[in-house]
Amino acid sequence: RQWGAVRFVWNKALWLKQRFYKRSGTNLSVIHELKPLIARAKKSKKYAWLKESDSVALQESLRHLDKAFTRFFKKEAGFPKWKSRRAEQSSYHCTTVSVGDGWVRVPKIGKIKAVTHRVVEGKVKSITLSADATGAYYASVLYEDGLPEAEPVQAVYEDEVVGIDLGLKDLVIESNGHKEPNPKHMKRAAKNLCRKAKAFSRTKKGSRRHEKARKHLAKAHKRVSNARSDSLHKISKRLIDENQ
């Protein structure tokens, strides 16, 4: 419901901007003209269900739309797209948020069970709830730990510098002669992705099998992405530890 409200606010604001610009050439301001409409919509019978969602998350959706248009006019990105319930979902929360052992708390929802990967030691600033196309749920927590910032390295020694060449047969070839082969598990994941893509192409759009095959294909894409990220993270971690 929270993600549905965020999607609705984004899509409605995008539709209003397009409609007014086509009819009268008026470019509505997302922050100054569309943002006050959220409070008016909550008072109406048709859109009273927006009260059940976090107001900050709805306002943040408009800020994201405003940034998207700014990047579009600067030619840094394409035109903002419509949000779909089948794509990735996210909502931003920054008030009355907290994290504990095995849970996160956000407004209008309360405590949510979570597997915390590290202990949050400091003041929680914001929490972003998200879900990918496979249906996996995540909570990204931003907090202040109060620790001083790391100082940059002042001196770099020649024997602790390495050159890297990206090849086809080997993934990484270092200047010291070390070669990092292409991981085999990525090849297996890529073959599995091809099988899932063929199965998805055979299904009829709008059917239950089509939706089921779409989730299987999304999981295969995620498996390939995770395998690639895992390999690259391990290599980069080793290179950083061994060199400056």
Side-chain angles (χ1 to χ4, degrees), residues 225-236:
S225 177
N226 289 344
R228 184 184 298 111
S229 298
D230 180 67
S231 299
L232 295 178
H233 280 310
K234 287 178 179 177
I235 295 172
S236 60

Side-chain angles (χ1 to χ4, degrees), residues 6-186:
V6 170
R7 286 197 312 270
F8 172 79
V9 170
W10 171 286
N11 291 336
K12 196 70 173 179
L14 180 58
W15 177 79
L16 286 172
K17 280 182 69 68
Q18 290 179 328
R19 184 185 182 189
F20 272 80
Y21 188 79
K22 289 180 180 179
R23 285 194 172 186
S24 60
T26 305
N27 187 16
L28 295 177
S29 171
V30 174
I31 302 299
H32 301 291
E33 294 179 307
L34 295 180
K35 182 179 176 181
L37 294 180
I38 297 179
R40 293 175 59 182
K42 290 180 179 180
K43 296 178 181 179
S44 65
K45 292 183 179 180
K46 187 176 182 180
Y47 304 118
W49 51 272
L50 290 174
K51 295 180 182 179
E52 301 175 3
S53 304
D54 182 14
S55 59
V56 175
L58 303 183
Q59 295 172 10
E60 194 66 21
S61 179
L62 291 181
R63 294 191 187 96
H64 290 167
L65 181 61
D66 188 51
K67 291 179 181 178
F69 271 104
T70 301
R71 294 189 63 194
F72 169 71
F73 288 122
K74 288 183 178 180
K75 297 182 179 180
E76 296 177 354
F79 192 80
K81 298 180 180 180
W82 306 97
K83 289 189 178 294
S84 170
R85 63 185 178 88
R86 293 182 177 86
E88 295 181 355
Q89 312 293 326
S90 65
S91 60
Y92 174 87
H93 310 268
C94 63
T95 57
T96 63
V97 293
S98 56
V99 180
D101 186 14
W103 57 267
V104 296
R105 188 201 301 274
V106 295
K108 299 286 186 177
I109 299 177
K111 282 187 177 181
I112 308 173
K113 286 185 179 180
V115 178
T116 52
H117 295 277
R118 66 184 66 180
V119 179
V120 177
E121 297 178 349
K123 183 180 179 182
V124 178
K125 304 293 290 184
S126 66
I127 296 177
T128 301
L129 302 180
S130 60
D132 57 19
T134 65
Y137 300 89
Y138 301 94
S140 177
V141 181
L142 175 66
Y143 64 94
E144 290 183 352
D145 54 10
L147 300 177
E149 295 185 6
E151 296 183 359
V153 177
Q154 300 296 331
V156 179
Y157 303 98
E158 292 184 3
D159 58 343
E160 295 183 354
V161 177
V162 66
I164 300 173
D165 181 30
L166 303 179
L168 297 176
K169 182 180 179 182
D170 298 301
L171 183 62
V172 172
I173 304 173
E174 301 173 26
S175 57
N176 55 16
H178 178 78
K179 296 181 179 180
E180 194 75 37
N182 281 301
K184 293 182 179 180
H185 64 273
M186 278 194 61

